[in-house]
Amino acid sequence: MNTALVRKRLVIGNWKMHGTQASNAMLLTGLCAGVAVVHDCDLAVCVPFPYLGQVSASLHGSGISWGAQDVSKHEQGAFTGEVSSSMLTDFGCRWVLVGHSERRTLHGETDTLVAEKALAALKAGITPVVCVGETLAEQEAGRTNEVIQRQLAPVLALGADSVAKMVIAYEPVWAIGTGLTATPEQAQEVHAFIRAQLSELGVPQVRILYGGSVKASNALSLFAMSDIDGALVGGASLVTEEFLRIAAA
Ligand code: 13P
């Protein structure tokens, strides 16, 4: 089976810690108005927790799905400041990012914790988008594959049935918010490495997104690569036209 044929393109906007109710309203109205230009592509936004209500009300029935940028590994209890996966379900979330490099770096999230969060999401019926990626120093030392393998190990250890319901996002840390993008060939090489591990587990159909300075101007060449199934978009997802053009690429 040619798994490329069964993997539908997926483009997710990661708003990070941006937005106000007013600016969100403009962006969401623009996305709903323009989504008709997007074909054969799942389109989604992952937004800050306080805006999930606004986003679910605005995007309901639009064909654009939504999610959050993090989730607790705990189901409920005395965990001040944490947000559980069932709370995300309550707001209609279909996706949640786990292990974004900003959480790994700034909040000390370990590979094991990321896998625990992915499992918590799955238990609530939410698709975890597991983010992996190497730093510039690691890339320059030729350690990219080793780092990706280490980050993925506890996630893959959850087993084929679980991993089959996930999305993997490869985001080289050196390409995030820097304007530097991996070349399509560089990204494809890492995606193929990830695909090989998924195939070994028996789940080659899992979608692998690329993230890191994706723009309308480079989306097409990235999407032309056989193992790149879509994009996780930061900055450009805050600009209606740009985000839609990436999804339409
Ligand atoms: P940029 O697209 O702004 O580089 O961010 C990428 C990212 O971190 C998406 O999760």
Side-chain angles (χ1 to χ4, degrees):
M1 181 176 54
N2 182 349
T3 58
L5 295 177
V6 296
R7 300 192 315 261
K8 190 175 180 191
R9 172 89 36 87
L10 169 62
V11 172
I12 301 179
N14 173 10
W15 288 6
K16 306 196 179 185
M17 200 173 71
H18 293 290
T20 62
Q21 293 198 65
S23 68
N24 299 343
M26 278 176 59
L27 181 53
L28 293 164
T29 304
L31 292 179
C32 291
V35 70
V37 300
V38 179
H39 303 282
D40 302 320
C41 174
D42 290 327
L43 189 59
V45 290
C46 286
V47 308
F49 295 131
Y51 297 135
L52 283 171
Q54 180 187 21
V55 168
S56 65
S58 304
L59 294 183
H60 185 79
S62 69
I64 305 170
S65 53
W66 60 92
Q69 300 168 10
D70 186 28
V71 68
S72 175
K73 70 170 184 174
H74 301 288
E75 281 177 23
Q76 63 168 331
F79 303 103
T80 302
E82 296 265 280
V83 173
S84 72
S85 51
S86 62
M87 292 171 185
L88 300 185
T89 312
D90 211 10
F91 280 94
C93 287
R94 178 158 169 215
W95 316 93
V96 66
L97 308 182
V98 295
H100 190 281
S101 67
E102 286 147 20
R103 297 217 54 90
R104 291 178 189 265
T105 311
L106 305 172
H107 301 273
E109 293 196 6
T110 63
D111 303 330
T112 309
L113 177 61
V114 171
E116 288 171 329
K117 289 183 171 196
L119 186 62
L122 286 177
K123 282 185 180 162
I126 297 172
T127 302
V129 179
V130 178
C131 305
V132 295
E134 82 287 7
T135 63
L136 184 59
E138 289 163 341
Q139 194 234 17
E140 285 175 348
R143 294 181 49 221
T144 300
N145 287 1
E146 171 199 328
V147 170
I148 304 292
Q149 192 160 22
R150 191 207 71 219
Q151 291 174 332
L152 278 179
V155 174
L156 299 183
L158 296 174
D161 288 351
S162 294
V163 179
K165 295 183 208 131
M166 299 182 188
V167 168
I168 308 292
Y170 169 56
E171 300 202 303
V173 178
W174 49 270
I176 294 177
T178 57
L180 294 173
T181 330
T183 64
E185 293 74 19
Q186 263 176 324
Q188 166 58 26
E189 205 177 310
V190 181
H191 280 233
F193 175 73
I194 296 170
R195 180 84 58 209
Q197 293 187 59
L198 294 169
S199 299
E200 207 168 301
L201 193 65
V203 288
Q205 75 282 9
V206 168
R207 291 184 283 190
I208 310 173
L209 310 184
Y210 172 77
S213 300
V214 175
K215 305 180 273 286
S217 58
N218 59 23
L220 197 58
S221 56
L222 287 162
F223 294 164
M225 295 290 132
S226 60
D227 287 301
I228 299 183
D229 304 319
L232 183 53
V233 185
S237 72
L238 299 170
V239 185
T240 312
E241 271 291 299
E242 186 75 9
F243 187 52
L244 287 172
R245 280 175 58 209
I246 292 169

